[in-house]
Amino acid sequence: MNRAVDVVVIGAGAAGLSAALGLAATREVLVLSAGDGSTPWAQGGVSVAFGDDDPLDHAHDTDIAGAGFCDPRNVRALVEEGPQRVAEFIAHGALFDRREDGSLSRTLEGGHSHPRIVHAGGDATGAEVDRALRAAVRAAGVETMAGRTIGLTKSASGRVTGVLVQAGGETIRIDARAVVLATGGIGNAYLASTNPSAVRGDGIALALLAGASLVDMEFVQFHPTALFTGETRGQLPLVTEAVRGEGAVLRDARGRLIMAGRHPRADLAPRDVVAREIEAAMRRDGSDHVWLDARSIAPDVLRRRFPTVLAACASIGVDLLSEQIPVAPAEHFLCGGIQVDRDGATGVPGLYAVGEVAATGVHGANRLASNSLLEGLVFGRRVATALTLDLPASTESTSYEVVLTEDREPERIRAILTKYAGIRRDGAGLAAAAEELSALGNGPLATVARSVIAAATARQESRGCHWRSDYPHTDARWTEHVTITLDENGLPKTHDAARASA
Ligand code: SIN
């Protein structure tokens, strides 16, 4: 079965649905979804500066967290367009938590100099963002289809002309004048992650196959506090940073404060700093977790603000109100991704990317907490505006297909990436990872893993969430970003790795 639409959006998270909503009035849009993305699982909220807060302070905090690697123009777009996007989203029906006087309730998270995180359902912001966006998209008449995108079609001139989707037991070709990748991060390329299992980096592999470039793939963010359940595989429950925003502190196995004296913002330092200190404490103590102590926070505040975290704790028999809870860092967010301009264009005609799968440079080397839902709203709208203004009148005829192959040994690939490209990396481990991956085919997980390993190998310094024990300092001479394309054998190769000049 073949069909045609104006625009196909692959992914139904905040970025994909925002793009679809922005296009609905002028274009026929089809949203494809391979399963639950990360959006419904987001807890903390949406960071947005308004009232007594200044978008320029938000930009400054974003840049500090990003370790000097953010794109300043795109960060300005994020913080300056953000307040209007959030206001429109509320007008569309999103229900954020409010104080008694009716104003939006705002909290603090790591790396923020001002309480600017708006939230919903206490700690269930992602679920509300998902609900409200889905309702708005449905009301706007956008069609959604369940299915896994396994390939892209291209014209003789190299333009992307559509997608190949597996749905209902068959492969369907859908022609489109533009394809927007909004497939999220790479969580399932690791053994454990805060992401659901459908989030596995297919969009990254598809973009590479189509001829696009990746950038900043070494910057994989670990959330400092996933709930330590004893499980080391699959999706781990998050303990939102907002718990520390309300006053909780991290303690090591002997009860000592982990962040005391480690950073001026202590437990609310940017999350790469906190994750590293936790990892060091765990190594020191020979432990697989540390403790989060929220007992200084009034029980009614904890109950009202963190029902999701309380329920997750209860499911493993611990009580956030009266005892310390076990936590450990877990893979959470890809700061790099498909290289795009501010309107989501990948450089491959007809192919766009938005949200976590895309690298606009707004996260630099380490994303500021709660900037990702905002990114989805802002850049989803930007790609929609670009495609409203400029879309070819008709599809070019399809000449060939680029198709994902199956991964040979997914669990082995995950184990390699987890072992060698976690919070702490070094050259010997990265070389071993490259060697072990070499026999594991060209499937999407293998491609994602090789891209992370290649970028992490190239960057011989530590910056943001890329921490190399053999190059433990940030080197100001590393000003360039590491980009990746596929070579003639279908293997990721790095470019522009600006070696520190001797
Ligand atoms: C959290 O609530 O701590 C996660 C928010 C985020 O990843 O931005």
Side-chain angles (χ1 to χ4, degrees):
M1 181 178 88
N2 289 357
R3 53 178 297 196
V5 295
D6 291 332
V7 181
V8 167
V9 176
I10 308 172
L17 292 179
S18 296
L21 190 59
L23 283 161
T26 55
R27 308 289 181 201
E28 187 188 358
V29 189
L30 174 65
V31 177
L32 298 172
S33 170
D36 232 7
S38 296
T39 294
W41 299 94
Q43 292 185 355
V46 184
S47 59
V48 58
F50 60 90
D52 59 346
D53 193 6
D54 185 340
L56 289 183
D57 289 339
H58 186 185
H60 184 66
D61 292 344
T62 299
D63 194 49
I64 298 278
F69 244 37
C70 294
D71 179 311
R73 283 182 5 133
N74 291 357
V75 169
R76 274 193 87 132
L78 178 79
V79 300
E80 289 179 352
E81 294 170 27
Q84 193 176 346
R85 293 293 88 81
V86 171
E88 287 164 2
F89 190 37
I90 291 170
H92 268 302
L95 298 169
F96 289 102
D97 296 335
R98 293 185 179 268
R99 295 189 298 209
E100 276 176 11
D101 65 5
S103 62
L104 286 167
S105 172
R106 290 180 287 178
T107 192
L108 203 55
E109 285 184 4
H112 289 274
S113 58
H114 196 282
R116 63 169 71 95
I117 319 297
V118 298
H119 46 85
D123 60 358
T125 313
E128 174 58 13
V129 167
D130 180 64
R131 183 206 64 77
L133 271 174
R134 281 180 193 275
V137 160
R138 240 188 340 265
V142 172
E143 184 188 355
T144 58
M145 180 195 281
R148 179 170 174 233
T149 305
I150 56 158
L152 298 171
T153 58
K154 296 189 80 178
S155 70
S157 74
R159 186 176 187 89
V160 168
T161 55
V163 299
L164 299 170
V165 190
Q166 280 179 339
E170 56 179 334
T171 300
I172 303 167
R173 187 176 116 187
I174 303 169
D175 293 339
R177 293 150 70 190
V179 172
V180 180
L181 296 167
T183 51
I186 59 168
N188 201 29
Y190 283 78
L191 285 175
S193 164
T194 62
N195 301 174
S197 61
V199 179
R200 39 174 276 167
D202 280 9
I204 299 268
L206 281 169
L208 275 177
L209 279 177
S213 300
L214 310 181
V215 65
D216 291 345
M217 288 295 289
E218 64 273 39
F219 300 122
V220 178
Q221 183 174 75
F222 282 69
H223 196 287
T225 58
L227 186 64
F228 181 76
T229 60
E231 189 51 71
T232 53
R233 301 252 189 301
Q235 185 180 8
L236 302 178
L238 192 64
V239 178
T240 175
E241 218 163 274
V243 182
R244 278 176 283 133
E246 297 289 343
V249 290
L250 289 157
R251 295 186 187 279
D252 68 12
R254 290 164 58 188
R256 293 171 301 197
L257 291 171
I258 291 174
M259 292 307 297
R262 308 306 299 173
H263 189 278
R265 288 186 177 157
D267 289 87
L268 287 174
R271 63 176 55 156
D272 60 323
V273 177
V274 180
R276 266 198 306 280
E277 293 297 337
I278 292 176
E279 195 265 351
M282 284 169 24
R283 227 165 355 96
R284 220 169 31 235
D285 294 339
S287 175
D288 44 17
H289 64 275
V290 296
W291 299 97
L292 183 69
D293 185 352
R295 290 173 296 182
S296 65
I297 307 172
D300 63 314
V301 173
L302 288 174
R303 280 194 203 95
R304 175 170 44 81
R305 286 282 289 108
F306 305 115
T308 312
V309 174
L310 274 166
C313 289
S315 75
I316 60 161
V318 291
D319 179 17
L320 183 68
L321 272 48
S322 62
E323 58 187 329
Q324 302 183 115
I325 61 165
V327 292
E331 193 282 341
H332 184 59
F333 189 89
L334 177 64
C335 300
I338 304 165
Q339 192 163 32
V340 292
D341 70 11
R342 204 157 0 136
D343 295 326
T346 64
V348 176
L351 186 65
Y352 296 76
V354 69
E356 186 174 347
V357 76
T360 57
V362 295
H363 306 308
N366 173 59
R367 178 178 61 96
L368 181 65
S370 284
N371 265 0
S372 48
L373 290 174
L374 186 70
E375 176 188 24
L377 297 178
V378 168
F379 288 92
R381 170 63 69 83
R382 289 194 72 91
V383 79
T385 303
L387 291 175
T388 300
L389 296 174
D390 183 19
L391 196 62
S394 65
T395 324
E396 285 179 21
S397 55
T398 293
S399 159
Y400 65 102
E401 299 166 351
V402 290
V403 181
L404 297 176
T405 56
E406 285 300 317
D407 277 298
R408 277 195 212 143
E409 295 184 57
E411 207 59 5
R412 204 166 141 211
I413 295 167
R414 293 184 183 110
I416 294 168
L417 201 57
T418 302
K419 179 171 178 190
Y420 297 115
I423 292 175
R424 165 183 279 259
R425 296 123 183 229
D426 62 49
L430 292 164
E435 173 65 24
E436 289 181 35
L437 286 168
S438 65
L440 294 177
N442 291 5
L445 286 183
T447 299
V448 166
R450 281 202 191 96
S451 301
V452 173
I453 297 294
T457 303
R459 181 166 297 286
Q460 294 177 347
E461 65 156 355
S462 290
R463 184 184 292 271
C465 47
H466 172 65
W467 170 255
R468 289 222 11 194
S469 57
D470 49 351
Y471 295 97
H473 302 294
T474 300
D475 185 335
R477 294 170 299 178
W478 277 85
T479 54
E480 298 300 317
H481 297 258
V482 178
T483 60
I484 288 176
T485 56
L486 284 190
D487 70 13
E488 57 287 355
N489 300 314
L491 298 172
K493 66 168 182 218
T494 58
H495 307 261
D496 305 333
R499 306 264 160 205
S501 47

